[in-house]
């Protein structure tokens, strides 16, 4: 396995997923503006940010392969990133209550040695059960929603809120592992 893989993300969940696949890497978070462009579609948004994160870190760190990723939740056309505060988390969870939404993760794997990249947006459809206000308040009180797209973590305290998913579970966690490992293989990183 190559040891020149850099994960351009501060997400412990993304790191855990890569570790679970036996990938050796180092973590160097990207520092970019994540504000959506006007009229930017969700898949284009996450693909742009994933590429910018990978390029940002590649421009200042050693390594050959750089993995950038970004995840959003989309419900009724609204792109939901991380909530601004507890009130925003409550608003998001109320909107998700009892309805289906999409989780879209864009990833980019940049091969600095060859000057090539593989990128893709992966979509998973998630179905939430109807949530009582007390459930939402208790979950928000844990602090967990504040650093999660759409204000929830399927792998944590919000697992019971999810009735079912159509698509990749790891995508909802924050990194579509099957597709990312496939991109790393395509580029010769693993």
């Amino acid at each position: 396995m190559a040891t020149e893989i850099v994960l351009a993300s501060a997400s412990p969940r993304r790191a855990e997923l890569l570790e679970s696949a036996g990938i050796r890497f180092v973590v160097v978070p990207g520092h970019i503006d994540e504000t959506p462009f006007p009229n930017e579609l969700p898949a284009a948004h996450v693909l742009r940010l994933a590429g910018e994160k990978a390029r940002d870190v590649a421009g200042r760190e050693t390594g050959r392969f750089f993995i950038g990723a970004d995840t959003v939740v989309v419900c009724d056309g609204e792109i939901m990133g991380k909530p601004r505060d507890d009130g925003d988390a409550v608003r998001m969870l109320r909107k998700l209550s009892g309805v289906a939404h999409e989780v879209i993760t864009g990833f980019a794997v940049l091969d600095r040695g060859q000057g090539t990249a593989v990128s893709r947006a992966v979509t998973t459809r998630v179905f939430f059960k109807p949530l009582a206000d007390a459930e939402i308040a208790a979950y928000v009180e844990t602090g967990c929603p504040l650093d999660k797209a759409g204000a929830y973590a399927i792998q944590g305290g919000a697992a019971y809120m999810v009735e079912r998913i159509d698509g990749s579970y790891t995508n909802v966690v924050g990194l579509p592992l099957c597709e990312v490992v496939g991109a790393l293989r395509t580029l010769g990183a693993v």
Side-chain angles (χ1 to χ4, degrees), residues 112-130:
R112 181 166 48 199
Q114 296 296 319
T116 60
V118 174
S119 61
R120 183 171 168 203
V122 177
T123 301
T124 302
R125 196 151 170 82
V126 179
F127 300 81
F128 259 35
K129 74 177 196 98

Side-chain angles (χ1 to χ4, degrees), residues 35-138:
T35 306
F37 291 159
N39 302 315
E40 186 174 38
L41 295 175
H45 174 69
V46 295
L47 280 170
R48 177 178 61 81
L49 295 184
E52 287 181 10
K53 290 175 184 180
R55 287 187 299 277
D56 171 62
V57 174
R60 56 187 166 85
E61 297 291 332
T62 61
R64 177 166 174 189
F65 301 97
F66 297 84
I67 304 168
D70 195 76
T71 301
V72 294
V73 170
V74 180
C75 185
D76 292 331
E78 178 187 352
I79 297 176
M80 297 178 170
K82 297 172 185 172
R84 293 179 305 279
D85 53 30
D86 286 355
D88 197 31
V90 168
R91 179 193 66 79
M92 288 181 182
L93 291 167
R94 280 186 179 146
K95 186 168 185 171
L96 297 173
S97 177
V99 300
H101 60 277
E102 294 180 328
V103 176
I104 306 172
T105 301
F107 72 87
V109 181
L110 173 67
D111 178 351
R112 181 166 48 199
Q114 296 296 319
T116 60
V118 174
S119 61
R120 183 171 168 203
V122 177
T123 301
T124 302
R125 196 151 170 82
V126 179
F127 300 81
F128 259 35
K129 74 177 196 98
L131 302 173
D133 285 345
E135 289 175 298
I136 293 171

Side-chain angles (χ1 to χ4, degrees), residues 124-127 154 162-170 172:
T124 302
R125 196 151 170 82
V126 179
F127 300 81
I154 192 172
V162 178
E163 288 182 337
R164 74 177 196 278
I165 66 170
D166 290 341
S168 168
Y169 170 79
T170 61
V172 181

